[in-house]
Amino acid sequence: MTLPLATLSTLAWRNLWRNHRRTLIMLIAIAIGVWAMIFTAALSRGMTEQMVRNGLQTLPGEVQVHHRDYRRDPSVANSMAPPAGALLEALDQPPVKAWAARVRVPAVISSERGSRSVTLLGVDPAAEQALGSLPETIIEGRSLDLADDTGIVIGASLARRLETGLGKRVVIMSQDPDNDVAERGVRVVGLYRARLQGDEDRFVYAGRSLVQEMLGIGDAVSEIALTADDYRGVEGWYPQIAAAAGPELEVLPWTELDTFLGSILAVQDGFTLVFMVVVFLALSFGLVNTLVMAVFERVREIGLMQALGMRPGLILGQVMLESLYLLCLGLLLGNLLAVATIMPLESGIDISRVAQGMEMMGMSTILYPALHRFDMLMSTAVVIILGLLASIAPAWRASRLDPVTALNRD
Amino acid sequence: MNVSWVLAWRNIWRHRRRTWLTVGAMVFCNVLLVFLVSLQLGSYQMMIDGSLAAYTGHIQVQRRGYHDDQHIYQSVPAVMELASSLRSVPGVGEVAARAEAFALASSAQRSFGILLTGVQPGYEPAVSTFPGKVREGRYLQADDAREIVIGALLAQNLKAGVGDELTFIGSGRDGSFAAAVATVVGILDTGLEEVDRSMAQIPLGWFQQVFAMGDAGHSVVIRVPSLEQVGDTAAGLRAALAGRNELVVLDWERLMPGLRQAITSDMASAWFTYGVLVLLVAFSVLNTQLMSVLERTREFGVMLALGMRPAQLARLVGMETLMLAALGLGLGVAGGGLLAAYLSYAGFVYPGVEEMMARFMLGGRIYPQLSPVSLLAGPLTVFLGALLAALYPALRLFRLQPVAAMRAL
């Protein structure tokens, strides 16, 4: 006897609702489990995305080009000529969306009341703007105008520590290529606020020509930062920049420039999967239990079907289908619930209460959950695959019943 | 009474497989909770201990305002004498005085901005692990020698080694020009990039001369024998310093607010996970108990007809649940306890997250901390959750009509 699939699935569907209370409870449990999987994934996805974005903004860029020795010895002696020829050509065409060449040297900044060690960035404001690497919020004064701007912009927190302010003069000291101390008095023309206080203390922005002139390095730069607005796919496109830059320069993607940042994505994917599997395992006991009970109640019925000639494979299929229906309904409910709860939160969750703890991890104070199709698919895959695996045992038992004994059960 | 227990016990074994699956769900959840909570508490402990032991200490005495602004003139007068006198405060373990200033350090080839700390070579190793991280050469010795130890990356950046001379330039406490030449005697490799890149230490006595500090410093660092004593010791210190309004006693939560907050935010996400697990197990129990009540409708109808009161039936179901939950609790605590105990001895490694852990001062291996709280908090919640879940099936019994129930299918 071959039962058409349609009949089999009708049978499974009706069986599912013979004990609607039990099915409903299990359905709610699966829905909650699925919701928790997706909700957690969205929160942590939002967290890591933000960490990576913030990291790329500080780094800055998705790929950087340096003199081969610069990263080991970030001194002005290891600077390079501004991009020209093949490299310039590669930078000015897709996939590169924006790039900026900057001087980046360690320096000491002093006011009359104190001094701090900082990273001095000589930038071309227009190019940095395109890259999105300039501080977003100027709270006092102005931002840098042109690469030959003669003022500097410092963090509000640094200004407080140095007891200096807008319009005041400070001295920046660094080292020129001959290892003589190069210093220059400059006026503070702007104060910025960064998302991370650490950055405010660390980065001092000045016009690129000013820094080049102070250090006596002509038009040389320390690093070229570039972005293609595609940080996930960086491995695919950065080699062509490396090829254009030639062997004298070191071209690295962000995953290698900041290995902490690079490890985040992989670690997060791993944790999300582990969490999903754990939630499912907690769920699976209930699922198996439901199926075992469903089969147990129907022992006589199954025996009868077998006696009438239904083959074991079909009985197995029927129980598995029942389980699949349950899982799919649970998934549907869980996904709807997840979308409904995450959507209103996408404008951000305020977590400033733990701001400094978040800062240790490179986060800012508003958490934006990110609902990704990938996470929804991953939870669906985990639930369906593991769910069907868990259902095999009860379904197998049902299909192996001995018709005679089964019919005689009361 | 006795009979009810026997009845309940027999009832739960009427469906062996179902009972084991339900107990299994609880045991799984309990083992997981014991393991996770122990791991969590263990890693918090390691994070706190590691972060504080590295450099900050448990408590610091500073000039009011120095912690926020770090101006060099916000100093503690007679800092070494203060450190000595604080050693006699009860509960205070190790004490060392420090002073800090930013400076530009130059070797023959390179110059870099550094955070220069003046330390007491005799006392510093007791409050910080950095002196023990000397990779090359030795740590500082005499209190006024012209010696300096520097971080490994700084040494690399400066292209300086043991025996080389470093010039450093900064400004003194009174705003005067401060400069001196020091001999590198040791190179520290703390494993923390930011520290290794910018840290340099010189003897406090000499620091005071160079930076025109007189006898002043910036902080007295205190390390107490255990974290629990911080509160009492801080109170004792505040009492001892009662007359000196310009000084403040800061405990580690004030010194490193990020640490407590990182723990708080981690806890929040952990509670969410635990809550979901407990909820799912509760549903599992609810399902089982509801089934076991429904399938016995006729039986319960007979019992009611024989004169049993609904409350007695409900109590029977309650007792059955109690037994299930107790089994789950016992086996779960035993299993989870064994697992956590083994791991607290052998250590636990998260693969692939070493860098994240280094940021929180955790080594590659985490040792879960098995305590009454970590052992029982999770399983007891599951236990209570299971009992609550049985309320609905038990309450249904009160609506049972004997005659209708006996006719039920």
Side-chain angles (χ1 to χ4, degrees):
Chain A
M1 183 176 106
T2 47
L3 218 53
L5 194 67
T7 318
L8 200 65
S9 54
T10 315
L11 214 52
W13 177 256
R14 291 200 179 145
N15 276 336
L16 188 60
W17 297 104
R18 278 163 70 169
N19 196 328
H20 65 274
R21 262 194 213 89
R22 178 172 67 206
T23 302
L24 273 179
I25 292 179
M26 200 52 224
L27 208 53
I28 295 175
I30 296 178
I32 291 180
V34 170
W35 168 78
M37 291 179 191
I38 300 176
F39 192 75
T40 314
L43 283 188
S44 64
R45 185 75 64 192
M47 233 154 98
T48 45
E49 266 184 14
Q50 201 179 21
M51 280 161 86
V52 171
R53 274 178 213 286
N54 287 355
L56 292 183
Q57 208 163 26
T58 316
L59 202 56
E62 289 156 13
V63 170
Q64 289 184 350
V65 183
H66 295 117
H67 183 283
R68 274 163 59 182
D69 295 327
Y70 177 83
R71 278 181 11 99
R72 217 162 16 82
D73 178 14
S75 142
V76 68
N78 293 322
S79 41
M80 59 189 167
L87 179 57
L88 186 61
E89 211 169 289
L91 290 174
D92 281 334
Q93 69 186 17
V96 178
K97 293 247 168 63
W99 63 275
R102 42 205 348 241
V103 181
R104 180 190 183 117
V105 286
V108 169
I109 181 167
S110 313
S111 70
E112 57 271 36
R113 302 310 297 270
S115 51
R116 306 278 295 194
S117 75
V118 294
T119 299
L120 176 64
L121 297 170
V123 297
D124 172 3
E128 300 280 339
Q129 200 73 50
L131 195 66
S133 55
L134 284 183
E136 278 168 7
T137 343
I138 300 286
I139 55 167
E140 251 186 275
R142 59 175 177 88
S143 55
L144 296 173
D145 288 334
L146 292 166
D148 56 3
D149 201 310
T150 52
I152 63 166
V153 174
I154 65 174
S157 162
L158 181 65
R160 190 163 51 87
R161 292 194 197 278
L162 291 174
E163 290 182 74
T164 185
L166 201 61
K168 298 254 182 69
R169 286 184 80 80
V170 293
V171 175
I172 41 181
M173 279 191 286
S174 187
Q175 172 198 24
D176 69 14
D178 302 324
N179 195 27
D180 291 323
V181 172
E183 60 177 337
R184 155 141 344 180
V186 284
R187 198 170 293 282
V188 177
V189 297
L191 299 182
Y192 72 87
R193 166 102 38 226
R195 266 182 304 205
L196 307 183
Q197 200 200 329
D199 290 349
E200 260 178 55
D201 282 335
R202 186 165 151 216
F203 294 112
V204 169
Y205 294 84
R208 191 170 67 199
S209 330
L210 175 89
V211 178
Q212 282 168 337
E213 189 198 325
M214 165 183 142
L215 298 174
I217 52 171
D219 59 357
V221 294
S222 323
E223 78 184 7
I224 302 168
L226 52 130
T227 179
D229 277 342
D230 178 20
Y231 66 85
R232 279 178 184 273
V234 70
E235 301 291 337
W237 58 267
Y238 96 91
Q240 65 197 74
I241 308 290
E248 287 305 304
L249 298 178
E250 182 186 56
V251 180
L252 289 176
W254 62 275
T255 46
E256 286 176 53
L257 290 166
D258 185 340
T259 46
F260 172 70
L261 212 55
S263 70
I264 288 177
L265 286 183
V267 168
Q268 200 254 332
D269 283 349
F271 273 117
T272 306
L273 185 62
V274 168
F275 178 76
M276 286 181 176
V277 170
V278 163
V279 167
F280 183 81
L281 286 179
L283 210 57
S284 66
F285 288 94
L287 178 71
V288 173
N289 215 345
T290 305
L291 291 177
V292 166
M293 281 300 101
V295 169
F296 175 81
E297 288 168 357
R298 275 182 254 147
V299 166
R300 289 187 65 176
E301 185 182 318
I302 294 170
L304 185 64
M305 286 166 132
Q306 281 179 320
L308 289 176
M310 198 179 197
R311 277 180 292 113
L314 286 176
I315 292 172
L316 182 109
Q318 190 193 321
V319 178
M320 292 296 276
L321 258 182
E322 199 176 325
S323 165
L324 188 65
Y325 281 142
L326 189 62
L327 293 172
C328 287
L329 274 179
L331 275 169
L332 185 72
L333 277 180
N335 276 290
L336 287 178
L337 197 62
V339 172
T341 46
I342 294 169
M343 284 305 194
L345 293 176
E346 276 190 333
S347 55
I349 305 169
D350 188 0
I351 47 168
S352 47
R353 204 164 55 83
V354 290
Q356 276 161 302
M358 293 285 116
E359 194 170 315
M360 279 176 91
M361 300 194 286
M363 298 247 332
S364 38
T365 54
I366 307 246
L367 176 59
Y368 301 94
L371 190 59
H372 275 225
R373 201 169 307 139
F374 175 77
D375 293 322
M376 296 172 91
L377 288 179
M378 184 146 92
S379 65
T380 304
V382 166
V383 169
I384 297 279
I385 294 173
L386 294 184
L388 290 181
L389 277 179
S391 316
I392 287 179
W396 179 260
R397 284 177 53 85
S399 70
R400 293 293 124 171
L401 285 173
D402 173 37
V404 181
T405 355
L407 271 171
N408 287 329
R409 270 273 288 278
D410 70 336
Chain B
M1 182 67 193
N2 235 342
V3 180
S4 314
W5 286 107
V6 174
L7 198 60
W9 179 252
R10 287 195 181 153
N11 276 340
I12 64 172
W13 295 109
R14 280 160 74 168
H15 281 283
R16 221 160 252 287
R17 187 164 292 123
R18 180 171 71 195
T19 299
W20 278 124
L21 277 169
T22 314
V23 171
M26 285 191 267
V27 171
F28 169 76
C29 186
N30 285 343
V31 169
L32 205 65
L33 285 176
V34 172
F35 167 67
L36 288 177
V37 176
S38 306
L39 190 68
Q40 207 187 347
L41 296 183
S43 55
Y44 293 161
Q45 188 72 39
M46 286 171 70
M47 255 165 81
I48 295 173
D49 285 348
S51 304
L52 300 182
Y55 184 71
T56 312
H58 293 108
I59 304 173
Q60 289 191 11
V61 178
Q62 298 179 348
R63 181 87 174 203
R64 197 175 292 279
Y66 179 76
H67 180 63
D68 293 322
D69 300 332
Q70 291 178 8
H71 299 312
I72 191 168
Y73 57 82
Q74 292 169 315
S75 56
V76 178
V79 72
M80 292 198 220
E81 289 72 14
L82 180 68
S84 310
S85 73
L86 291 183
R87 284 194 181 93
S88 60
V89 174
V92 167
E94 305 292 342
V95 182
R98 283 187 196 145
E100 290 167 334
F102 287 91
L104 182 72
S106 308
S107 66
Q109 299 180 54
R110 294 280 185 269
S111 301
F112 280 93
I114 56 169
L115 172 59
L116 194 63
T117 311
V119 298
Q120 294 184 285
Y123 295 110
E124 184 70 12
V127 299
S128 161
T129 58
F130 289 170
K133 303 280 173 85
V134 174
R135 191 185 66 188
E136 235 180 281
R138 60 168 173 83
Y139 192 63
L140 306 171
Q141 283 170 353
D143 213 27
D144 44 13
R146 297 167 169 263
E147 297 172 342
I148 190 168
V149 291
I150 58 178
L153 282 171
L154 182 62
Q156 185 190 322
N157 287 342
L158 286 169
K159 296 185 188 287
V162 173
D164 290 347
E165 290 198 328
L166 287 186
T167 311
F168 53 86
I169 310 168
S171 37
R173 180 168 180 270
D174 48 5
S176 63
F177 181 73
V181 178
T183 308
V184 177
V185 294
I187 292 177
L188 300 182
D189 191 354
T190 64
L192 298 167
E193 202 183 310
E194 218 158 301
V195 174
D196 288 341
R197 191 183 293 288
S198 64
M199 181 192 55
Q201 298 188 341
I202 62 173
L204 180 57
W206 187 44
F207 183 103
Q208 289 170 333
Q209 294 170 29
V210 174
F211 288 89
M213 297 289 292
D215 58 1
H218 290 117
S219 52
V220 177
V221 183
I222 292 143
R223 197 174 146 68
V224 297
S226 84
L227 206 57
E228 290 79 46
Q229 287 163 259
V230 170
D232 291 343
T233 310
L237 287 167
R238 285 193 187 100
L241 294 170
R244 306 191 57 182
N245 219 3
E246 77 280 13
L247 299 182
V248 282
V249 176
L250 302 172
D251 61 17
W252 64 273
E253 297 197 30
R254 275 280 283 127
L255 293 166
M256 295 185 90
L259 191 58
R260 172 56 79 191
Q261 290 174 3
I263 290 175
T264 312
S265 67
D266 186 73
M267 270 192 171
S269 65
W271 293 140
F272 178 76
T273 310
Y274 303 158
V276 168
L277 286 177
V278 173
L279 198 63
L280 291 179
V281 170
F283 269 99
S284 194
V285 174
L286 170 61
N287 217 344
T288 302
Q289 289 310 85
L290 188 64
M291 283 307 100
S292 94
V293 167
L294 287 179
E295 72 193 12
R296 282 183 285 169
T297 305
R298 289 177 71 176
E299 182 180 322
F300 285 146
V302 174
M303 288 167 98
L304 284 176
L306 289 177
M308 252 183 134
R309 286 188 309 278
Q312 283 174 301
L313 289 183
R315 211 180 64 188
L316 184 68
V317 172
M319 282 156 76
E320 289 171 26
T321 316
L322 196 68
M323 284 174 171
L324 279 181
L327 264 178
L329 181 75
L331 292 177
V333 166
L338 281 177
L339 179 69
Y342 169 72
L343 289 176
S344 68
Y345 161 74
F348 178 78
V349 185
Y350 282 122
V353 298
E354 292 80 5
E355 303 213 19
M356 217 171 270
M357 286 165 51
R359 197 164 277 214
F360 292 102
M361 309 295 297
L362 292 170
R365 211 165 261 274
I366 298 183
Y367 293 88
Q369 194 182 46
L370 195 59
S371 66
V373 173
S374 69
L375 188 63
L376 294 176
L380 282 178
T381 317
V382 171
F383 184 78
L384 288 178
L387 292 184
L388 277 179
L391 270 184
Y392 169 65
L395 288 177
R396 278 180 62 87
L397 291 170
F398 286 91
R399 289 195 316 203
L400 221 53
Q401 299 298 323
V403 180
M406 281 191 293
R407 288 203 185 123
L409 202 64

